Amino acid sequence: MLKNRDEIAQQYKWDLNDIYPNWNQWEADLVKLKELMAEIPKYQGEISKNPKTFVEFIDLEEKISRLLDKIYLYPYLQRDLDSTNEVASVKLQEIESIYANYSISSSWITPEILTIPKETMVKWINENPTLEPNRFPLMEIYRLQEHVLSADKEKLLSYFGQYLGVPSDIYSELSTSDIKWNDVELSDGSKTTVTNGVYSKVISTNRNQEDRKKVFEALYNSFNINKNTYASIYKSILQRDFATAQSRNYKSSLEKALNPKNIPLDVYTSLIESTKENTAPLKRYIALRKNALNLSNYHYYDNSVNIVDYNKEFTYEEAKNTVLESVKPLGEDYYNGLNTALSEGWLDVYETPNKRSGAYSLNIYDVHPYMLLNYNGTMDAVFTLAHELGHTMHSMLSTKNQPYPISSYTIFVAEVASTFNERLLLDNMLRNTTDPKEKIALIEQAIGGIVGTYYIQSLFADYEYQAHQIVENGGAITPEVLNNIMENLFKDYFGTELTMDELQKIIWARIPHFYNSPYYVYQYATSFASSANLYDRITNTKYTPQEREKAKNEYLTLLKSGGNDHPMNQLKKAGVDLSKKDAFNAVATEFNRLLDLLEEELKKEKGDI
């Protein structure tokens, strides 16, 4: 049953006092921020004259950025806890407006930096140690020079900055604040309101296919009723992305998404191609599940329930202890760091009314990471905890080892630590279980990770690519167009064993990343492939103890490196080369290995062997 926030113990809720004790302190820092921002225009025309002025300016920029992180995220996090929080909403809009104006008044900065010859900039950095943390980001400005406009054009574009996020804001309101959840009565006579959290729990634990169908239809109808509005919002995002790309001399929105982090376009296309070429184990798995569950028709809402009747619930305390125990192979420092991450006030654990769905970890350099969960006691929820703690440890290690300008790791490597933690958890639980059903459920959890994090995210990446291309080629976007893309992709990936429901096609309306972070989801798949390769090098006994220790140290170095290099280079240093298709093909190999193991365990369960 959904609890109100005041019914939940403080130890399971965020302590936002670590950022600010009250709104008065927030307001005081806001005044300070405005004063610092007002100093920026005074440097226009001056920063290129001498290194002393340039150093002063870079120091001022960092002070503004670090203060802005706190001021922005304080209301942002409050609003995620309650989308109807009027005070937080007003404050958030206020800081967004201030930042939009600041973007206009500071739009001259990058063009003016580019008037300084690169050789001169290198000399200034070499002679001024305080500039060293900024070497990589400053050199990136020169690498991306062709996509920087003249000062007057940059200023013109900056006027539109505040409005570029409006489609995402509208989507958030429609899918969170204003969404109408539907009620259902299940086969046991219980009645429930089908929220995202309730849906996830029912489809993963309820053995009755008709009940799963009911909650599926209830949830998806909450989105389908507004399908035209969702399609209109998404069309505006696609158009915005292409317009922004063209304005900066990119050929496509994909190029604009990848080039700033120096990701080759063929990494994206290779991922899609490789995944489509390796759908055989996915189709094999669906056929196996259909048979094992004794279903005449297999639907997407049948994809989460365990083959065996395994509905063990884990208390949050059990989940914490299990995850903590599982990371011991990464050493004492990592273990102690994770223990700190589980401190009171860092996690908001349970689902509450108007709370943002899903889970995330969000870092504030001068405070600590905050993790949002909607913990519901399922095995999947335990793995979600491990996943988010991976992000948090990545942030903690980067913050500890990198100065602010290069402390933030890119999205491209963001999911490596999270999926690596999930693999550690899986191995630990498999070693410690004596329950045959739990072992099968755990193998399925591992396979579910491959399906959900690699195959489904590659499918979604393919969807985004096709949708963007339609707009970039002058085509129309309607609910039917988006439904057709999804229908064809699910048929390609899952084959004929999956019965396609009409409502399933609307899945594009309930994926927040499509609206909030276009071209994000492919990085789940690339990171999953990366962590699979890293995990093999660290744990596989085919390598010598010395080789495994070296691989572990290289992995931890990756987590400590923040954003000090291009992500492809960071992964190469850790031993993963995503420019080679083999890095992706390895996922299908692991999938088939797990399927063999699952079939063997199912035979044991039936007593066949």
Side-chain angles (χ1 to χ4, degrees), residues 465-526:
Y465 186 53
Q466 291 186 43
H468 277 86
Q469 282 194 316
I470 288 172
V471 166
E472 291 170 18
N473 291 326
I477 294 294
T478 66
E480 289 70 28
V481 169
L482 300 177
N483 281 356
N484 286 338
I485 297 174
M486 276 299 180
E487 180 178 16
N488 291 330
L489 283 170
F490 271 96
K491 286 179 179 176
D492 287 344
Y493 277 66
F494 286 84
T496 56
E497 294 290 352
L498 180 73
T499 300
M500 190 79 181
D501 293 278
E502 189 64 29
L503 279 173
Q504 186 193 328
K505 301 172 190 176
I506 198 73
I507 193 172
W508 53 266
R510 66 173 295 252
I511 307 300
H513 284 110
F514 294 161
Y515 300 84
N516 300 327
S517 312
Y519 283 129
Y520 180 105
V521 296
Y522 86 97
Q523 293 159 122
Y524 283 112
T526 54

Side-chain angles (χ1 to χ4, degrees), residues 190-460:
S190 63
K191 295 179 180 179
T192 185
T193 301
V194 184
T195 63
N196 282 302
V198 169
Y199 168 76
S200 296
K201 184 163 187 176
V202 173
I203 66 162
S204 63
T205 61
N206 195 303
R207 308 298 298 172
N208 186 305
Q209 188 185 38
E210 190 60 31
D211 283 347
R212 297 196 297 271
K213 179 183 179 181
K214 283 181 180 178
V215 296
F216 167 79
E217 291 179 346
L219 184 87
Y220 277 70
N221 270 318
S222 292
F223 290 90
N224 194 54
I225 195 171
N226 291 315
K227 65 180 180 181
N228 292 303
T229 305
Y230 284 119
S232 182
I233 295 169
Y234 193 53
K235 178 179 70 175
S236 68
I237 286 170
L238 298 172
Q239 292 171 334
R240 175 203 68 188
D241 289 351
F242 190 39
T244 306
Q246 289 176 299
S247 71
R248 295 206 169 276
N249 304 313
Y250 288 105
K251 295 186 180 106
S252 68
S253 49
L254 178 63
E255 185 184 13
K256 183 184 179 299
L258 270 57
N259 194 42
K261 300 305 176 188
N262 207 23
I263 309 293
L265 290 179
D266 59 8
V267 168
Y268 195 98
T269 53
S270 290
L271 168 68
I272 290 173
E273 290 167 9
S274 174
T275 310
K276 277 188 171 176
E277 290 168 6
N278 285 288
T279 57
L282 179 59
K283 291 166 182 171
R284 175 188 169 194
Y285 180 51
I286 298 305
L288 183 155
R289 285 180 56 79
K290 182 180 180 182
N291 181 61
L293 291 166
N294 195 28
L295 297 174
S296 55
N297 289 296
Y298 188 94
H299 299 260
Y300 192 59
Y301 49 78
D302 297 320
N303 227 32
S304 298
V305 69
N306 287 317
I307 288 176
V308 291
D309 189 2
Y310 177 86
N311 293 327
K312 180 179 175 180
E313 293 218 5
F314 299 83
T315 67
Y316 176 64
E317 298 303 323
E318 287 173 333
K320 280 171 55 175
N321 293 332
T322 303
V323 173
L324 194 57
E325 178 69 22
S326 72
V327 302
K328 284 184 176 178
L330 289 178
E332 189 176 349
D333 288 346
Y334 193 94
Y335 176 89
N336 291 336
L338 199 79
N339 201 22
T340 300
L342 286 163
S343 300
E344 235 176 82
W346 289 36
L347 295 108
D348 201 87
V349 178
Y350 298 108
E351 184 180 20
T352 51
N354 302 308
K355 180 179 174 181
R356 176 172 169 163
S357 63
Y360 65 66
S361 173
L362 194 155
N363 187 45
I364 304 176
Y365 188 84
D366 292 310
V367 187
H368 57 69
Y370 282 90
M371 287 162 281
L372 180 138
L373 302 174
N374 283 278
Y375 189 82
N376 60 12
T378 62
M379 179 185 283
D380 188 60
V382 181
F383 277 81
T384 297
L385 175 62
H387 182 103
E388 298 307 330
L389 284 165
H391 288 308
T392 293
M393 281 303 301
H394 196 170
S395 296
M396 290 170 68
L397 289 169
S398 292
T399 296
K400 183 178 179 180
N401 291 279
Q402 300 298 331
Y404 180 80
I406 51 173
S407 62
S408 296
Y409 48 86
T410 63
I411 295 170
F412 192 79
V413 296
E415 299 299 335
V416 173
S418 55
T419 51
F420 196 99
N421 262 20
E422 288 190 63
R423 290 168 189 273
L424 286 171
L425 176 61
L426 174 75
D427 273 3
N428 183 63
M429 292 182 76
L430 278 172
R431 277 194 304 270
N432 291 313
T433 185
T434 56
D435 181 352
K437 286 186 176 181
E438 184 167 77
K439 188 168 186 180
I440 292 170
L442 284 164
I443 296 168
E444 279 213 271
Q445 182 71 34
I447 292 174
I450 294 176
V451 174
T453 310
Y454 185 78
Y455 281 92
I456 293 294
Q457 302 308 326
S458 295
L459 184 154
F460 286 164

Side-chain angles (χ1 to χ4, degrees), residues 84-252:
T84 65
N85 184 328
E86 187 71 17
V87 173
S89 294
V90 169
K91 301 289 188 187
L92 191 59
Q93 290 180 49
E94 182 182 357
I95 190 61
E96 285 173 346
S97 178
I98 290 168
Y99 182 71
N101 291 329
Y102 172 68
S103 297
I104 295 168
S105 67
S106 61
S107 60
W108 56 270
I109 295 172
T110 300
E112 188 163 324
I113 287 175
L114 288 171
T115 67
I116 306 168
K118 184 178 178 180
E119 297 75 18
T120 302
M121 181 62 73
V122 170
K123 183 172 181 290
W124 286 3
I125 296 171
N126 290 340
E127 293 174 353
N128 294 273
T130 56
L131 284 178
E132 184 58 38
N134 292 277
R135 182 187 293 272
F136 180 68
L138 285 170
M139 290 302 101
E140 282 294 273
I141 291 174
Y142 290 95
R143 182 179 70 84
L144 297 166
Q145 186 166 357
E146 66 179 296
H147 305 294
V148 178
L149 309 180
S150 60
D152 59 333
K153 290 179 180 176
E154 287 288 348
K155 185 173 183 179
L156 180 63
L157 282 182
S158 67
Y159 282 112
F160 296 93
Q162 187 175 2
Y163 307 104
L164 295 179
V166 169
S168 300
D169 292 341
I170 296 172
Y171 174 79
S172 179
E173 296 293 349
L174 185 63
S175 62
T176 307
S177 303
D178 294 337
I179 196 163
K180 182 185 179 300
W181 301 118
N182 296 305
D183 298 328
V184 297
E185 182 175 341
L186 301 178
S187 57
D188 62 0
S190 63
K191 295 179 180 179
T192 185
T193 301
V194 184
T195 63
N196 282 302
V198 169
Y199 168 76
S200 296
K201 184 163 187 176
V202 173
I203 66 162
S204 63
T205 61
N206 195 303
R207 308 298 298 172
N208 186 305
Q209 188 185 38
E210 190 60 31
D211 283 347
R212 297 196 297 271
K213 179 183 179 181
K214 283 181 180 178
V215 296
F216 167 79
E217 291 179 346
L219 184 87
Y220 277 70
N221 270 318
S222 292
F223 290 90
N224 194 54
I225 195 171
N226 291 315
K227 65 180 180 181
N228 292 303
T229 305
Y230 284 119
S232 182
I233 295 169
Y234 193 53
K235 178 179 70 175
S236 68
I237 286 170
L238 298 172
Q239 292 171 334
R240 175 203 68 188
D241 289 351
F242 190 39
T244 306
Q246 289 176 299
S247 71
R248 295 206 169 276
N249 304 313
Y250 288 105
K251 295 186 180 106
S252 68

Side-chain angles (χ1 to χ4, degrees), residues 6-156:
D6 58 8
E7 297 177 284
I8 296 171
Q10 186 57 46
Q11 69 192 87
Y12 302 117
K13 296 188 285 192
W14 279 339
D15 184 358
L16 298 181
N17 291 333
D18 292 348
I19 313 175
Y20 291 108
N22 51 54
W23 283 112
N24 289 336
Q25 290 294 315
W26 183 88
E27 292 283 359
D29 263 4
L30 185 62
V31 171
K32 183 179 177 183
L33 178 69
K34 290 176 180 177
E35 290 172 352
L36 292 173
M37 286 178 167
E39 295 293 310
I40 288 290
K42 299 176 184 178
Y43 284 88
Q44 188 169 3
E46 302 297 320
I47 63 173
S48 59
K49 292 181 178 179
N50 62 75
K52 182 175 180 295
T53 304
F54 187 75
V55 169
E56 287 176 4
F57 170 75
I58 290 295
D59 181 57
L60 176 61
E61 266 204 314
E62 181 174 326
K63 285 179 181 174
I64 290 171
S65 183
R66 290 170 77 156
L67 196 54
L68 182 63
D69 285 350
K70 294 173 63 181
I71 292 172
Y72 176 76
L73 290 171
Y74 186 64
Y76 179 91
L77 292 172
Q78 292 198 41
R79 196 174 179 282
D80 275 0
L81 295 180
D82 180 4
S83 63
T84 65
N85 184 328
E86 187 71 17
V87 173
S89 294
V90 169
K91 301 289 188 187
L92 191 59
Q93 290 180 49
E94 182 182 357
I95 190 61
E96 285 173 346
S97 178
I98 290 168
Y99 182 71
N101 291 329
Y102 172 68
S103 297
I104 295 168
S105 67
S106 61
S107 60
W108 56 270
I109 295 172
T110 300
E112 188 163 324
I113 287 175
L114 288 171
T115 67
I116 306 168
K118 184 178 178 180
E119 297 75 18
T120 302
M121 181 62 73
V122 170
K123 183 172 181 290
W124 286 3
I125 296 171
N126 290 340
E127 293 174 353
N128 294 273
T130 56
L131 284 178
E132 184 58 38
N134 292 277
R135 182 187 293 272
F136 180 68
L138 285 170
M139 290 302 101
E140 282 294 273
I141 291 174
Y142 290 95
R143 182 179 70 84
L144 297 166
Q145 186 166 357
E146 66 179 296
H147 305 294
V148 178
L149 309 180
S150 60
D152 59 333
K153 290 179 180 176
E154 287 288 348
K155 185 173 183 179
L156 180 63

